[in-house]
Amino acid sequence: MILETNIKDSIERFKSVKSLGDKTVNQLSERKIHWTHNIESVAVIVKHLSGNMISQGGMTF
């Protein structure tokens, strides 16, 4: 019962954070997503975050 509640809470939290990320990226033009200045672009950062979430959670979205 506790495990199921924790899993449901984790999934809901993930969906909430993903929604915020999607809304943020949707505000950027394609050019701005790939813009860099001595740091990685937003596109590369999102790719790394996605890879980390998949490797830690074993889920694909």
Side-chain angles (χ1 to χ4, degrees):
M1 184 68 134
I2 293 174
L3 179 60
E4 288 177 14
T5 301
N6 287 341
I7 291 171
K8 287 178 184 177
D9 289 346
S10 295
I11 290 171
E12 287 305 313
R13 178 69 177 142
F14 170 81
K15 288 178 180 178
S16 173
V17 172
K18 182 180 182 305
S19 176
L20 289 173
D22 289 343
K23 290 174 185 175
T24 301
V25 172
N26 286 336
Q27 294 180 46
L28 299 173
S29 67
E30 188 74 21
R31 184 171 155 236
K32 288 183 179 179
I33 289 174
H34 296 284
W35 181 84
T36 61
H37 179 72
N38 297 326
I39 59 169
E40 295 182 11
S41 68
V42 171
V44 172
I45 293 168
V46 170
K47 180 180 175 182
H48 286 300
L49 289 171
S50 173
N52 288 342
M53 286 187 281
I54 290 169
S55 69
Q56 292 179 17
M59 299 186 283
T60 57
F61 298 93

